[in-house]
Amino acid sequence: MSDRSPQDESVRDDEVRTAEVVAALSLATDLGTGVPLEHGLHSALIATRLGDILGVDRGTQAQAYYTSLLFYVGCTASAKTASEVFAVDNALTKYGVPFRFGSPAQMMAGMSRAVAPPGQPLMVRALQLARGMPALAREFGDIVVTDCDVAQMLTVRLGLPSAVSALFAHASDRWDGRGWPAHTKGEAIPLPMRIAHVARDAAFQRMLGGDEFAARVVHGRAGGAFDPDVAEPFAEHAAEILAFDPRDSAWPETLAAEPPPNLMLKGEAIDQALGAIGDFADLVSPYFVGHSADVAGLAADAGRRCGLDAAQTLDLRRGALVHDVGRVAVPVRIWQDRGPLSPDDWERVRLHAYYTERVLSRSPFLAALAPIAAFHHERLDGSGYHRGTKAAALATPARVLAAADAYHTMTEPRPHRDTLSPARAAGKLGEEVRAGRLDADAVVAVLAAAGQRVPRVRRPAGLTDRESEVVVLLARGLQTKQVARALGISAKTADSHIQNAYRKMGVSTRAGAALFAMQHGLAVWGELPIERAGDRS
């Protein structure tokens, strides 16, 4: 099914800074790896400041900047495997990453603690080590290669120069040649990646023990994991390089630190980049692969059927591409769970929509998509999440995305249930409409876009389709004759529909009808006329 139409081209002259989109994705990688939010932003600032001190050329500095932002952009590709090897959530980040650039003995000790975290009974840890270490030995090489491959593929789609994408082949290299998988060493490792190695580790060590601790650790790794000509200047100037105000967000400074010229995404390139973000999120579990792109296509088609114009349809499609980026904040073991979720795990699942909103909210361009993307689990009766938003605050694009996401999810496999047939999923959507949770028009459009037979939709209070249209127009302030003109019917017929609708709704005033329309998801902006000054009859 095509998710494009000729009219889309007329609205594809918009643009956004590449760094704005990349920095938002960097926040998502923070969530996915379990480090504090803005860890990647701080790393990019450290890399840029270190580049200034080293006196590197602008191209090298730019490559180090983008690489530091996206150092863990491949993390979701191996998330499922990591969840099977390591015993607890984020164990690798907590116990392994501090020693990623340490000595071989330190790296082995860190990995052992990640497999069998401290604080557990001796026998439990012994069993975890017996099972986990052989699994780690089998899987580690594939994890490294997978992360690198995915990082290279995603960075190309983000609109970054090919030189940046090529750097990720060296993400696990070390100056001393003890890295993976090629054991590249010394100056054979590109300088931007050598800078990024120091920047990412410095940011992590600073988080663990402060500025002086970070300087000592990085200095101690000079000549080992790190190029001494990069690590030693960092240690010498650490106080200057690590000067951050803990009370302020690093977002504006990180955007301002992008080495010129600022890269821009325009038109179709924006969609490619947002699609890359969606795929990054979907890689977190095999059950989600392709979900975001498929939902975006379905939602865009349904949006056009609902009367959205080209710009609204484009925003809907883009919001759908990134609607599940917050999934990466939820431990993979929860997405893979075959049984009922605990209250705590269910609460984490509910928060993924919140995290989508937070990832998008820093960028002015992406923030405009948040009222669509982050509302895909909201329901008209307020029973959805994470806000519990009700019908009056849910615009048409959000309603369409909610229906498209619900339908497509039901037709996908999940660990706790079988795939529903398209016909069964259509029936389930009809039940959601009758229960007052999903918008009837949005469901009809989604099912039509999916090629499904559209079930008869029961309107609230027994209203007919025509009476529902009349109520919406009344809520917009139109008088009886204006309603008649808008619907192409006589004034007498329009009045008959109005009186029948009033009786069914149990109201007697236009204001009562308007409130009923809002409460039951009938008052949707942008599809029908609204009273304007001077338009009287």
Side-chain angles (χ1 to χ4, degrees):
M1 141 188 16
S2 172
D3 57 15
R4 298 285 302 278
S5 70
Q7 65 178 344
D8 287 342
E9 301 304 325
S10 64
V11 294
R12 287 183 176 269
D13 57 354
D14 51 347
E15 63 179 15
V16 60
R17 282 181 60 186
T18 305
E20 201 172 305
V21 175
V22 168
L25 180 53
S26 181
L27 297 176
T29 68
D30 294 340
L31 295 173
T33 53
V35 296
L37 207 62
E38 298 198 352
H39 180 72
L41 304 187
H42 284 131
S43 300
L45 283 173
I46 291 170
T48 304
R49 295 171 182 178
L50 179 55
D52 287 339
I53 288 169
L54 297 175
V56 301
D57 62 85
R58 187 173 295 171
T60 297
Q61 195 165 39
Q63 291 175 37
Y65 170 87
Y66 296 121
T67 303
S68 298
L69 279 173
L70 295 175
F71 197 76
Y72 291 110
V73 74
C75 67
T76 52
S78 57
K80 177 179 178 292
T81 301
S83 73
E84 295 167 348
V85 172
F86 302 110
V88 299
D89 300 337
N90 296 321
L92 181 60
T93 298
K94 186 174 182 179
Y95 299 109
V97 173
F99 302 103
R100 172 174 181 168
F101 296 108
S103 68
Q106 288 174 329
M107 288 191 293
M108 179 59 69
M111 286 298 185
S112 297
R113 283 193 287 272
V115 168
Q120 302 179 93
L122 184 60
M123 284 300 298
V124 172
R125 294 195 69 213
L127 286 172
Q128 289 173 336
L129 286 170
R131 295 170 181 167
M133 292 307 288
L136 179 61
R138 288 193 307 270
E139 303 291 351
F140 184 72
D142 285 343
I143 289 175
V144 171
V145 172
T146 297
D147 287 0
C148 292
D149 283 351
V150 168
Q152 289 179 287
M153 295 169 69
L154 290 178
T155 47
V156 168
R157 292 170 59 197
L158 289 166
L160 294 175
S162 58
V164 173
S165 300
L167 289 174
F168 284 90
H170 301 278
S172 294
D173 286 336
R174 292 167 53 103
W175 178 260
D176 58 12
R178 295 179 181 270
W180 287 76
H183 302 287
T184 305
K185 66 178 182 178
E187 293 186 358
I189 304 170
L191 179 56
M193 183 55 79
R194 283 180 265 154
I195 295 173
H197 281 156
V198 170
R200 289 300 305 210
D201 195 44
F204 199 90
Q205 302 304 330
R206 176 179 178 270
M207 176 186 75
L208 294 179
D211 295 0
E212 293 182 5
F213 177 77
R216 288 199 306 272
V217 170
V218 171
H219 184 269
R221 293 174 177 177
F226 299 146
D227 177 355
D229 289 338
V230 176
E232 289 173 359
F234 167 82
E236 182 179 350
H237 297 275
E240 172 188 348
I241 295 173
L242 299 177
F244 299 108
D245 188 336
R247 299 166 296 181
D248 292 337
S249 168
W251 179 274
E253 188 176 1
T254 302
L255 269 290
E258 180 190 17
N262 293 342
L263 301 181
M264 302 298 294
L265 294 168
K266 299 182 180 181
E268 184 66 27
I270 298 174
D271 299 86
Q272 290 290 332
L274 298 185
I277 294 176
D279 288 350
F280 163 81
D282 290 349
L283 282 171
V284 78
S285 167
Y287 290 100
F288 300 147
V289 170
H291 173 82
S292 295
D294 287 347
V295 169
L298 181 62
D301 193 346
R304 285 189 286 269
R305 293 170 186 267
C306 281
L308 298 182
D309 62 26
Q312 292 171 317
T313 302
L314 183 60
D315 282 347
L316 171 55
R317 183 178 185 278
R318 287 174 173 175
L321 286 171
V322 296
H323 75 279
D324 267 337
V325 67
R327 266 183 177 160
V328 301
V330 181
V332 179
R333 63 167 180 81
I334 295 178
W335 297 125
Q336 297 295 121
D337 199 326
R338 295 182 178 274
L341 296 182
S342 69
D344 182 63
D345 285 349
W346 177 237
E347 201 60 33
R348 295 192 189 196
V349 168
R350 290 169 60 89
L351 283 173
H352 84 270
Y354 163 79
Y355 284 118
T356 291
E357 184 173 18
R358 297 313 302 156
V359 166
L360 301 179
S361 65
R362 306 293 183 89
S363 157
F365 182 90
L366 297 179
L369 304 178
I372 302 171
F375 284 62
H376 63 286
H377 282 294
E378 302 293 352
R379 296 295 182 259
L380 300 181
D381 62 355
S383 64
Y385 58 86
H386 68 285
R387 291 179 176 274
T389 303
K390 292 189 176 182
L394 295 175
T396 300
R399 295 167 184 235
V400 172
L401 178 55
D405 179 69
Y407 174 81
H408 204 282
T409 296
M410 286 189 279
T411 61
E412 296 171 325
R414 290 293 183 266
H416 59 282
R417 61 157 173 80
D418 294 330
T419 302
L420 272 63
S421 68
R424 180 92 184 278
K428 289 282 189 182
L429 254 62
E431 293 174 10
E432 290 294 291
V433 171
R434 289 188 287 275
R437 289 188 284 269
L438 289 178
D439 180 85
D441 294 327
V443 166
V444 167
V446 165
L447 295 181
Q452 292 299 302
R453 184 176 67 83
V454 178
R456 181 168 179 79
V457 175
R458 184 183 303 166
R459 302 289 182 174
L463 295 173
T464 65
D465 289 350
R466 178 61 84 190
E467 288 165 354
S468 295
E469 291 177 312
V470 168
V471 169
V472 172
L473 294 174
L474 290 174
R476 299 288 151 73
L478 273 66
Q479 304 298 319
T480 302
K481 290 183 179 179
Q482 295 169 319
V483 169
R485 284 202 300 270
L487 298 179
I489 58 179
S490 69
K492 183 177 180 180
T493 300
D495 184 66
S496 177
H497 286 314
I498 292 171
Q499 297 309 315
N500 287 337
Y502 275 8
R503 185 179 66 257
K504 291 178 180 180
M505 293 185 294
V507 303
S508 58
T509 64
R510 186 182 304 275
L515 183 57
F516 181 94
M518 288 189 289
Q519 289 175 335
H520 292 84
L522 297 178
V524 181
W525 292 101
E527 305 157 5
L528 295 169
I530 184 170
E531 178 205 18
R532 301 188 184 281
D535 185 12
R536 295 286 190 271
S537 61

